Amino acid sequence: MSYNRLICFPSDYDMCVADYIEAKVKDARWKRFGVGELDEAIERANFPSREREIVRHTPEGRVLAYAHWGLVPSWAQDARIGRRAYNARSETVAEKPMFRAAFKSRRCLLIGSSYCEWVDEGGKSASLEFAIDGGDMYAYAGLWEKWGDPESPYISCTMLTCPPNSTVEPFNDRMPVILSPEDYDAWLDPQTSHRDLLALCLPLDASRVSVRRGRDPRKFDREHRDLGGLFG
């Protein structure tokens, strides 16, 4: 069965709208992101507006936190502005008012295990699932923001995108910016230059990305919905 390729017009809100995170109890892979192992398993589909795991830099080191997927800048009048700001184009992220402050000083890692795209299959919607390094956990280049009450701020995040590699290109003209572990420090470091940051926003090597007919993330979410979350 052939799939019709998705064409994304010049907009920040143009691709990944669901992904998966799957980690075991005490999963040692969390250590590669500079945080400790978790005492619980995580099996969840992530969707815009919901909270998801991020890793961010603090003076005390990296911390694992939750953020709503869909960036809400500090100047926003209403948090609903974030409902469509789940992606940020790397080519313009340093210029757009929605993202430029976060790009300058509030970068983060968004953690995932695979991501899905919807394509047209003979007139019907079908899900394709893209995995990295055979299905290993990985980090997207992300931004985070604080909004609202300083005592209890609304924390939000977005995922950067870039042109596709040759594995993704037949299905979409964008893909997430997926960082290699050796680039995590530079991405999170507040002192990294604008030029060096943009040099990290390149398509991942196509040999590291595989694609298959995917699971339905909505069904997966119903079957694996977290009962409590990361912090209870």
Side-chain angles (χ1 to χ4, degrees):
M1 178 65 71
S2 62
Y3 302 101
N4 290 332
R5 181 175 182 266
L6 295 181
I7 302 298
C8 298
F9 296 95
S11 163
D12 288 302
Y13 324 124
D14 55 20
M15 51 143 314
C16 183
V17 295
D19 72 335
Y20 300 96
I21 180 166
E22 298 173 86
K24 301 175 182 178
V25 175
K26 297 286 187 181
D27 199 318
R29 294 177 297 174
W30 286 107
K31 294 181 179 178
R32 73 181 58 162
F33 308 115
V35 297
E37 301 171 356
L38 299 186
D39 292 330
E40 63 178 331
I42 300 176
E43 292 185 288
R44 187 178 63 251
N46 294 312
F47 298 96
S49 297
R50 290 194 186 173
E51 287 184 311
R52 60 177 301 151
E53 290 79 8
I54 67 169
V55 173
R56 59 184 180 87
H57 173 83
T58 73
E60 291 74 36
R62 297 184 194 175
V63 297
L64 183 65
Y66 263 172
H68 295 270
W69 187 11
L71 197 84
V72 180
S74 61
W75 46 260
Q77 296 297 311
D78 192 314
R80 287 177 292 184
I81 195 174
R83 288 182 177 176
R84 289 181 55 82
Y86 47 83
N87 291 162
R89 286 200 166 209
S90 57
E91 298 93 327
T92 57
V93 68
E95 306 161 8
K96 292 210 168 181
M98 176 75 79
F99 304 116
R100 63 190 178 195
F103 179 70
K104 182 177 180 180
S105 57
R106 286 178 291 280
R107 296 180 297 277
C108 65
L109 308 177
L110 278 63
I111 311 303
S113 301
S114 62
Y115 75 93
C116 79
E117 294 285 3
W118 294 99
V119 294
D120 179 77
E121 183 185 44
K124 296 183 179 180
S125 180
S127 173
L128 297 181
E129 190 169 344
F130 296 83
I132 312 302
D133 297 330
D136 206 356
M137 289 173 69
Y138 58 86
Y140 308 98
L143 313 175
W144 70 278
E145 269 286 11
K146 294 188 293 185
W147 176 84
D149 183 355
E151 298 299 319
S152 182
Y154 181 92
I155 306 298
S156 62
C157 65
T158 193
M159 176 190 299
L160 270 67
T161 70
C162 63
N165 59 30
S166 59
T167 301
V168 178
E169 194 277 337
F171 310 104
N172 199 313
D173 66 353
R174 303 293 293 177
M175 70 176 291
V177 175
I178 297 171
L179 299 170
S180 294
E182 60 268 23
D183 295 327
Y184 296 165
D185 283 340
W187 183 255
L188 295 174
D189 187 346
Q191 304 304 315
T192 303
S193 70
H194 181 174
R195 176 181 295 182
D196 289 343
L197 290 171
L198 293 182
L200 300 178
C201 296
L202 299 175
L204 191 68
D205 188 289
S207 66
R208 296 179 59 189
V209 183
S210 59
V211 58
R212 65 173 184 173
R213 178 67 179 267
R215 300 166 285 184
D216 184 331
R218 297 161 299 189
K219 181 178 179 182
F220 184 91
D221 180 63
R222 290 193 297 269
E223 294 174 348
H224 298 83
R225 189 182 300 276
D226 279 349
L227 301 176
L230 185 58
F231 299 120

